[in-house]
Amino acid sequence: MRTIVTLPTYNEAENIEDLIRELRALDAEVLVADDNSPDGTWKLVEALAATDEGVRLLRRMEKKGRGYAGAEAFTAALEWGADRVIEMDADFSHHPKFIPDLLAALEKGADIVVGSRLVPGGQDVGRGRLREGLTKFSAWYARTILGLPIRDCNSGYRAYTRRALEAIAPATLVSAGPSIVHEVFGRAKRAGLRVVEVPIVFVDRERGESELTLGRLLDGFFKVWRVRAMMRELPERKED
């Protein structure tokens, strides 16, 4: 089974080399979709890829954004023959040590596995009570509006079977920013895919700067309604 980890990145030079080394130690291939980071993240990945065929770089010069990068990386991973695809953040808030748990859940029959802070055993560490409360509220909000059977529906740490990702059709995803997470889950629901959650410990980044701002957070609340409208336009298939 060929596993490819996709990493949408922007200014992750402080983290990317260490993360790729840990992922390669888990026998996973790595695909970095970098939005031409000013800090040279793409240069570091390019250097690693020159000596390790299990590392690949998509240096993105146009149509930048977290959502577009994620969708392009998914499409490339399928083209390159992935049997399983994992997407995660590149700042170690999603730790590679949980990857075996995600893959084990796929092997038990799940189509998509979510690394979750909000199921028993999951934790959100180092972000303060206000931020933790906001995380729980925003997850509840999205879950309610979209009717998702997922507690941590804001999680960007996910594993997919090839069949699941093909059903989601990543080349046709339209979300430019973080709302791609909700768009993917919405499509998964309409396609009748089986989604399960496994606990992870989410640790706030220690190196580099977060791209999350109040403006982006508020924008996310409105984008949920856009995703809901898009879901209604998709054919629905009941879960087997």
Side-chain angles (χ1 to χ4, degrees):
M1 296 289 286
R2 187 177 180 188
T3 301
I4 297 180
V5 178
T6 63
L7 303 172
T9 58
Y10 186 77
N11 285 349
E12 291 292 354
E14 294 182 76
N15 298 299
I16 195 65
E17 291 176 300
D18 290 341
L19 179 58
I20 288 175
R21 290 189 185 102
E22 292 205 24
L23 292 171
R24 293 295 287 139
L26 291 170
D27 200 28
E29 296 177 66
V30 181
L31 169 60
V32 179
D34 185 75
D35 278 1
N36 198 34
S37 295
D39 73 350
T41 300
W42 64 271
K43 294 180 181 180
L44 299 175
V45 177
E46 188 174 60
L48 291 173
T51 60
D52 184 350
E53 62 183 14
V55 179
R56 301 196 188 198
L57 169 68
L58 290 176
R59 185 182 175 193
R60 306 184 63 258
M61 308 299 291
E62 300 178 355
K63 204 176 180 181
K64 297 179 182 179
R66 164 67 181 83
Y68 294 144
E72 186 175 346
F74 284 154
T75 301
L78 291 176
E79 290 174 351
W80 291 338
D83 298 299
R84 306 176 297 193
V85 177
I86 297 171
E87 184 182 58
M88 61 191 295
D89 291 345
D91 59 4
F92 280 99
S93 57
H94 298 152
H95 201 284
K97 68 183 179 182
F98 296 108
I99 285 178
D101 295 336
L102 272 65
L103 295 179
L106 287 182
E107 291 171 3
K108 291 178 181 177
D111 296 307
I112 301 174
V113 183
V114 181
S116 177
R117 298 160 285 185
L118 302 179
V119 295
Q123 290 182 268
D124 198 346
V125 176
R127 303 214 292 175
R129 290 185 178 180
L130 178 60
R131 184 72 180 276
E132 185 177 348
L134 190 58
T135 294
K136 291 179 179 179
F137 173 77
S138 61
W140 169 85
Y141 177 84
R143 181 171 68 247
T144 302
I145 299 302
L146 300 177
L148 299 175
I150 308 164
R151 294 194 62 82
D152 196 352
C153 54
N154 292 332
S155 175
Y157 197 179
R158 291 153 290 146
Y160 304 83
T161 63
R162 181 181 184 86
R163 182 182 78 88
L165 209 51
E166 289 175 337
I168 289 166
T172 66
L173 292 167
V174 300
S175 297
S179 60
I180 189 176
V181 173
H182 301 138
E183 186 181 355
V184 166
F185 284 149
R187 290 191 181 201
K189 180 184 177 183
R190 298 294 290 185
L193 300 176
R194 181 170 179 249
V195 183
V196 303
E197 294 179 85
V198 299
I200 64 162
V201 177
F202 181 100
V203 180
D204 199 21
R205 68 161 62 235
E206 296 180 355
R207 296 178 291 184
E209 296 183 3
S210 174
E211 295 180 55
L212 183 64
T213 64
L214 180 59
R216 289 193 175 193
L217 191 61
L218 292 174
D219 182 62
F221 281 105
F222 292 108
K223 290 288 176 59
V224 169
W225 290 94
R226 181 190 180 202
V227 171
R228 176 173 169 167
M230 288 191 293
M231 286 174 62
R232 291 177 175 175
E233 298 174 359
L234 295 171
E236 183 174 13
R237 177 186 169 194
K238 300 299 183 181
E239 184 176 340
D240 295 334

